[in-house]
């Protein structure tokens, strides 16, 4: 069985660790292949104080943590303080032997402190992104994404983005069918669109324009195969193009065209996963002008080609 170890730390909230235990720790009798074996570890075995006055107790220390196939750091006690020498050694040792190392939210600070992110892209909660840049200038911080998978090292954004990353790992390890089944049990989307930008600003006040914007986006999702411009969307929302662009950016943190590209890439995933439809026809079906344009945007979004994605994730039934 693939072993997963998650690190508990003093003063932690249980949410991020709960994500890990829910995804990797629960038995999955619906699958006919071995599931993960999860262990909760701490730098010092024994009691770990939690937010709210509760205490978690684990018998497993950094030796067990470092020996796992996948190591997950769900956060750090204080982003202003570097990881302990013992944790740095455990992370480096595991990475050097080929283990997969992951972080959720502020856990990226521990990975950066161990030197695992030097010269590499990484993400963390948008509130901590600037601090991560200052403390670790060699890290290429991307605060706009929900997670980044570099193969051996994976980082995710704020708390709930850890769930996106964990589902991605299942998808990578066992294919889309398994990830979709786990997502259904969790009552969440197997793919969540967008990045952190949509969450950075404070929630918008109620605005009648929001409904018109939502209706135009809903129409676009039902007509991805047709040419769609900002002019078309603005007309659907009964707005000028300038007003539409302003409302769209405030609501989503991106532009209509970037959003459309993301939706079209997302729509192509099911066709690649479950059909043998030629790439050229997939491109047309989701609204790209040409296979070349489709491949370009797909590679930017998914860090792989449509053909390679199909080989990795194609499933039947």
């Amino acid at each position: 069985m693939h072993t997963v170890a998650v690190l508990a730390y003093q003063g932690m909230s249980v949410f991020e660790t709960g994500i890990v235990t829910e995804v990797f720790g629960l038995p999955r009798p619906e699958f006919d292949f071995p599931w993960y074996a999860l262990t909760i570890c701490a730098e010092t075995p024994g009691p770990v104080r939690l937010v709210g006055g509760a205490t978690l107790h684990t018998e497993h220390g950094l030796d067990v943590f470092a020996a796992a196939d996948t190591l997950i750091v769900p956060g750090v006690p204080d982003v202003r303080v570097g990881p302990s020498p013992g944790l740095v050694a455990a992370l480096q040792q595991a990475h050097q032997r080929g283990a997969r190392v992951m972080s959720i939210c502020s856990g990226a600070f521990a990975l950066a402190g161990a030197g695992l992110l030097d010269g590499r892209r990484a993400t963390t909660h948008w509130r901590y992104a600037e601090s991560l840049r200052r403390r670790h200038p060699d890290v290429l911080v991307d605060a706009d994404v929900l997670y980044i998978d570099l193969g051996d090292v994976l980082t995710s954004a704020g708390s709930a983005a850890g769930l996106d990353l964990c589902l991605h790992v299942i998808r990578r390890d066992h294919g889309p069918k398994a990830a979709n089944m786990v997502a259904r049990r969790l009552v969440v989307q197997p793919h969540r669109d967008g990045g952190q930008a949509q969450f950075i600003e404070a929630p918008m006040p109620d605005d009648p324009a929001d409904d018109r914007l939502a209706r135009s986006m809903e129409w676009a999702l039902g007509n991805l195969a047709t040419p769609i411009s900002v002019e078309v969307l603005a007309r659907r929302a009964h707005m000028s193009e300038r007003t539409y662009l302003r409302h769209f950016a405030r609501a989503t943190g991106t532009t209509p065209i970037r959003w459309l590209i993301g939706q079209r890439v997302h729509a192509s995933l099911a066709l690649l996963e479950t059909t043998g439809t030629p790439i050229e026809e997939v491109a047309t079906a989701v609204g790209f002008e040409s296979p070349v344009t489709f491949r370009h945007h797909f590679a930017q979004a998914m860090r792989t080609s449509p053909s390679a994605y199909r080989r990795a994730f194609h499933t039947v039934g």
Side-chain angles (χ1 to χ4, degrees):
M1 298 177 72
H2 184 103
T3 57
V4 177
V6 59
L7 187 69
Y9 57 91
Q10 299 294 336
M12 71 180 215
S13 164
V14 296
F15 181 72
E16 291 88 346
T17 304
I19 289 171
V20 176
T21 55
E22 179 78 17
V23 172
F24 298 114
L26 292 184
R28 304 287 177 183
E30 62 269 37
F31 296 136
D32 60 359
F33 50 80
W35 198 239
Y36 304 89
L38 175 72
T39 304
I40 299 176
C41 304
E43 291 200 37
T44 302
V48 178
R49 298 187 314 278
L50 309 178
V51 170
T55 301
L56 177 151
H57 191 282
T58 178
E59 301 175 355
H60 308 291
L62 289 177
D63 54 339
V64 175
F65 184 66
D69 299 315
T70 294
L71 291 72
I72 303 177
V73 182
V76 295
D78 189 339
V79 298
R80 298 165 298 181
V81 179
S84 69
L87 179 55
V88 168
L91 290 170
Q92 291 176 342
Q93 173 190 334
H95 184 251
Q96 287 167 4
R97 67 171 173 79
R100 179 167 58 193
V101 182
M102 297 168 48
S103 67
I104 297 174
C105 197
S106 64
F109 284 80
L111 273 57
L116 304 188
L117 301 178
D118 288 353
R120 312 183 80 184
R121 289 178 66 239
T123 193
T124 187
H125 193 292
W126 58 265
R127 288 183 59 195
Y128 302 135
E130 189 54 39
S131 177
L132 185 61
R133 288 191 187 98
R134 287 196 308 269
R135 290 185 60 84
H136 301 281
D138 291 334
V139 179
L140 308 177
V141 180
D142 185 345
D144 293 333
V145 297
L146 294 177
Y147 60 83
I148 293 174
D149 180 356
L150 301 178
D152 56 335
V153 177
L154 302 87
T155 53
S156 67
S159 303
L163 185 54
D164 297 283
L165 179 57
C166 290
L167 287 172
H168 167 75
V169 167
I170 293 175
R171 189 180 192 88
R172 194 175 105 173
D173 291 349
H174 299 294
K177 189 172 183 179
N180 292 348
M181 290 177 69
V182 172
R184 273 202 259 356
R185 280 189 56 176
L186 293 168
V187 199
V188 297
Q189 294 175 306
H191 297 280
R192 190 152 59 113
D193 299 318
Q196 293 194 83
Q198 59 190 306
F199 303 108
I200 293 175
E201 296 298 331
M204 294 168 19
D206 291 337
D207 186 340
D210 295 350
D211 288 339
R212 288 181 284 159
L213 184 70
R215 286 196 295 271
S216 73
M217 295 169 73
E218 184 179 2
W219 174 85
L221 290 174
N223 295 272
L224 287 176
T226 64
I228 301 174
S229 63
V230 175
E231 180 185 4
V232 169
L233 291 171
R235 192 164 58 244
R236 283 272 167 184
H238 304 289
M239 299 179 191
S240 69
E241 289 186 46
R242 179 177 294 181
T243 300
Y244 187 85
L245 286 168
R246 185 173 69 252
H247 281 283
F248 198 98
R250 190 172 65 175
T252 68
T254 189
T255 68
I257 298 305
R258 287 180 181 172
W259 176 80
L260 272 170
I261 289 170
Q263 296 304 314
R264 285 172 164 148
V265 169
H266 179 71
S268 74
L269 299 181
L271 294 174
L272 295 171
E273 292 167 5
T274 62
T275 76
T277 304
I279 300 299
E280 293 76 11
E281 294 180 25
V282 171
T284 300
V286 297
F288 285 103
E289 295 178 358
S290 70
V292 172
T293 305
F294 172 47
R295 290 187 176 96
H296 169 74
H297 289 300
F298 192 96
Q300 282 199 323
M302 304 301 293
R303 306 296 172 186
T304 189
S305 69
S307 297
Y309 181 90
R310 170 172 276 166
R311 285 194 298 272
F313 296 119
H314 186 266
T315 184
V316 179

